[in-house]
Every structure is written in structure tokens, then in C-alpha cells.
Amino acid sequence: MFLSKVQDNNALDLFYHNVKSGIPFEVTGLTSLLRLFLCVKSGEFSGKKVLFITSSEQNALKYKNDLEKAFDKESEIMPFQNISLYETVASNKYDYSEQINILLNKPQIVIAPVKSLLEKFPKESFYTDNSINIKIGDEIDTKEFAKKLVNIGYKKSTMVSDVQEFSIRGDIIDVYSLGKFPVRIELWGDEVVDLRYFNNETQKSVEKIKEVTIFPIYKFILPEYKISVKGLPSGIFPEDEEGYFDGVEVY
């Protein structure tokens, strides 16, 4: 299908018909503004989420800005890790946090530079199965809780300042999960009596909450016994490792 002007009612009718029917089709010869117009209208008409793919991050930023100014529509840009899967460099945890929040929250319009589509992620059920849910009134064994956090990718520190860190100081547990702010869990004995987000720089409270979900940092969680992992070459785990290393999900 060829569309050059929005005023072409026959072309628009055909566009809406194909969107509603779920028929694959191609539209060519569009200006940037018309691309965004059809992006917005296809989402409104079909009631479905929209994935808008761009050639680069710069174009993604431009389209996001145009969507807000011309159509008053909010959108999210899918970030990408600027490293190879086979490099030993650790991934950017802040970008990973944004990626997971977008994948799980499913905004109405997601603008994705094509490079972001090349990354692999677990199924949504992985995060459901391996997340830790905490609410006020729950009981926590701090030793078992610390072990769970380590198993899903967290590192213990004296004070939480970065994503992937947690600390336990008496009856206070701080965890910096995949969100904007870390969470502080206050205990009375073993019972959770207070939950709040706090600013990791000032250590001041930001918001009191009643429930929180701590997501896994790892994209891949090993079973309890490494020997039960099928398909992994023998000798893949160095003797001093605890069953995980950066890039293990590639295997």
C-alpha cells in the first residue's frame, strides 16, 4: 500500500482496515510526521501496544520528542547494551534496569533503536519465578534472605549506593533493585514493619510503600546443583566460581 498524504481518505480507510484485521502490509513514502501520525493512530484504532523501530538512538530521541510536542503522546525508548555478548565487560545495570521495566510494564508506545532488538532476554515468567516479593507483615530470616539475594545476582556492601547492592545493618535491610530508588526494609524481630524507597545519595526517604518486588539481576539462574545443568560443556565453571559468571546465559 502506498500512502503519500493524510488527506487521501481511501488510503487511510485501507490503513485502518488492515490494522483492525491484523493484515501485514507496508507503507512507503512517508515523512517523519506522517510516520508518527500512523504510529499513534494505529495504536488508538487497534487498542494494541506499538513498537516503533528506528535506525539509531539519535532518531529514537528525535521521534520521542516529536511525539510529545506534536501529538502530546508519551513514549519510552528501549536502551541497549553497547557491548558484545561475548565480551567480559559487565553490562550497564542502569540500562538493564530500564530495559526490564519497559519489558515488564509494557508502555503504550516503545521506540526501539534496531540494535536493542538484538539482545536476548528471559521470558516474563523468569522474573515472576525468581523475584522476591515483600510486604508489611511478612517475616524475614536475614541469613536466608541474604542468600536469596546473592543467588539472583546481588552483592553485599556496607552501604547501598548502586544497583545490584544490598546491606544488612541490624534490623534494617537496604536493597537496590531494578528501579529508580533502593528500598529500605525495617524489621521488628523477624517481622517487616516498614517499607520505603530512599535516595541512595542523601539516604533520605522518598516514599513509603506497603509492598515491593525485588527483581533478579541475573538473566539466568543456575539450579541448586551445577551438575544438573544440561547442555553446558564440562569444565565450564572455574573451581573458584559459585556457579555463575558474566556471559553464562550465552551457553
Side-chain angles (χ1 to χ4, degrees):
M1 182 180 77
F2 296 89
L3 180 63
S4 59
K5 295 182 179 179
V6 174
Q7 288 80 2
D8 189 339
N9 291 328
N10 290 332
L12 270 178
D13 290 342
L14 181 58
F15 173 83
Y16 290 144
H17 171 75
N18 289 343
V19 168
K20 185 176 181 179
S21 304
I23 300 173
F25 63 95
E26 180 180 351
V27 181
T28 61
L30 300 179
T31 64
S32 296
L33 192 61
L34 278 175
R35 291 192 189 106
L36 293 178
F37 174 79
L38 295 186
C39 169
V40 171
K41 290 302 177 182
S42 62
E44 292 177 353
F45 191 71
S46 67
K48 297 180 179 179
K49 312 288 186 180
V50 176
L51 175 64
F52 190 89
I53 302 172
T54 66
S55 60
S56 66
E57 188 176 20
Q58 289 73 20
N59 283 340
L61 289 167
K62 177 182 179 299
Y63 281 121
K64 176 179 174 63
N65 184 58
D66 289 346
L67 271 174
E68 291 177 0
K69 288 185 175 180
F71 299 97
D72 195 28
K73 290 289 184 179
E74 294 291 330
S75 60
E76 297 289 343
I77 295 178
M78 185 69 168
F80 57 85
Q81 300 290 339
N82 205 17
I83 57 174
S84 166
L85 283 172
Y86 304 99
E87 289 182 311
T88 56
V89 180
S91 61
N92 185 309
K93 294 299 184 292
Y94 290 96
D95 285 341
Y96 180 60
S97 175
E98 287 187 45
Q99 290 172 321
I100 299 307
N101 283 320
I102 288 173
L103 290 173
L104 295 180
N105 294 328
K106 303 180 179 65
Q108 180 61 37
I109 301 176
V110 174
I111 304 175
V114 68
K115 191 172 181 179
S116 68
L117 303 181
L118 303 178
E119 292 188 45
K120 294 180 181 291
F121 294 91
K123 294 180 179 179
E124 187 173 347
S125 59
F126 170 85
Y127 294 95
T128 303
D129 296 339
N130 293 288
S131 295
I132 302 174
N133 296 303
I134 300 171
K135 61 182 181 294
I136 291 178
D138 286 348
E139 292 189 353
I140 291 179
D141 182 315
T142 53
K143 289 184 178 180
E144 287 299 317
F145 186 65
K147 186 185 295 185
K148 287 181 181 179
L149 289 174
V150 171
N151 288 341
I152 60 176
Y154 289 85
K155 298 177 181 179
K156 192 172 184 179
S157 65
T158 54
M159 183 174 290
V160 168
S161 61
D162 208 351
V163 172
Q164 195 180 13
E165 294 179 346
F166 78 95
S167 70
I168 299 178
R169 305 185 308 279
D171 292 335
I172 296 178
I173 305 172
D174 293 341
V175 184
Y176 204 151
S177 187
L178 301 177
K180 186 176 181 180
F181 295 108
V183 66
R184 177 159 291 160
I185 306 164
E186 293 188 19
L187 304 175
W188 180 262
D190 291 335
E191 184 182 354
V192 177
V193 294
D194 191 64
L195 287 170
R196 65 184 66 202
Y197 290 119
F198 68 95
N199 187 307
N200 57 300
E201 294 181 356
T202 64
Q203 296 294 306
K204 292 183 177 180
S205 298
V206 174
E207 177 188 1
K208 294 192 72 170
I209 54 176
K210 295 183 178 180
E211 188 173 358
V212 68
T213 299
I214 299 172
F215 294 105
I217 298 295
Y218 292 154
K219 287 184 178 180
F220 175 77
I221 306 293
L222 284 167
E224 183 177 356
Y225 300 104
K226 291 182 291 185
I227 194 171
S228 68
V229 184
K230 297 180 180 179
L232 292 180
S234 59
I236 192 172
F237 298 105
E239 292 183 1
D240 59 343
E241 293 284 347
E242 296 182 355
Y244 185 91
F245 55 88
D246 287 332
V248 67
E249 61 270 10
V250 174
Y251 293 92

